Amino acid sequence: MVDFYQICLCCVSGFHILFGFGNLFKLPPLYDPSNFMVNGKPGTGSTEVEKLVEFIFGLWYTGSIAGVLLTYFAGSSAALRGALICPLYYHVAASIGCTLYFDKYKISNPAKMSGTMTGV
């Protein structure tokens, strides 16, 4: 029987895997470099810093969810709670950072979304 917890885990895991592989292999729609501003213009994905961020996002999202999935299928519930600390910490810190600083430092493309929306 499938419960709400399993549905949420499946959705979150699916998004992490799609977003991670989307950034690693530059697969739309979750890969869109124009969401961020680079030198005052929407990003194109061609500069070195954009390539670095794409690579880091890809590794963060696929790596952090891999531990969660491994403990879900092979570990205990206590281990799963421990594995969820990494994505939880990253998302809380990123949400606060995006909300406070993305508009201030002009990181988000205002034509696509605000820093607050990026944080949410």
Side-chain angles (χ1 to χ4, degrees):
M1 181 172 168
V2 177
D3 61 4
F4 181 69
Y5 171 77
Q6 291 171 324
I7 293 170
C8 290
L9 182 64
C10 182
C11 291
V12 169
S13 299
F15 177 79
H16 272 79
I17 291 167
L18 290 173
F19 187 78
F21 284 145
N23 275 279
L24 284 174
F25 301 115
K26 295 164 185 46
L27 303 170
L30 295 177
Y31 168 74
D32 185 4
S34 66
N35 285 332
F36 300 104
M37 300 297 282
V38 179
N39 296 326
K41 298 179 292 210
T44 61
S46 60
T47 64
E48 289 82 7
V49 73
E50 289 175 288
K51 291 178 183 182
L52 175 66
V53 169
E54 293 159 5
F55 184 67
I56 290 171
F57 277 175
L59 293 180
W60 259 332
Y61 275 85
T62 55
S64 65
I65 205 64
V68 172
L69 292 174
L70 180 65
T71 56
Y72 177 74
F73 289 111
S76 65
S77 62
L80 180 60
R81 287 192 297 271
L84 286 168
I85 292 295
C86 176
L88 176 67
Y89 175 78
Y90 169 75
H91 281 283
V92 168
S95 293
I96 292 169
C98 292
T99 302
L100 295 177
Y101 299 110
F102 270 34
D103 287 333
K104 180 179 178 182
Y105 295 123
K106 296 178 175 63
I107 296 171
S108 291
N109 183 352
K112 293 262 188 172
M113 67 179 76
S114 68
T116 303
M117 284 304 298
T118 304
V120 172

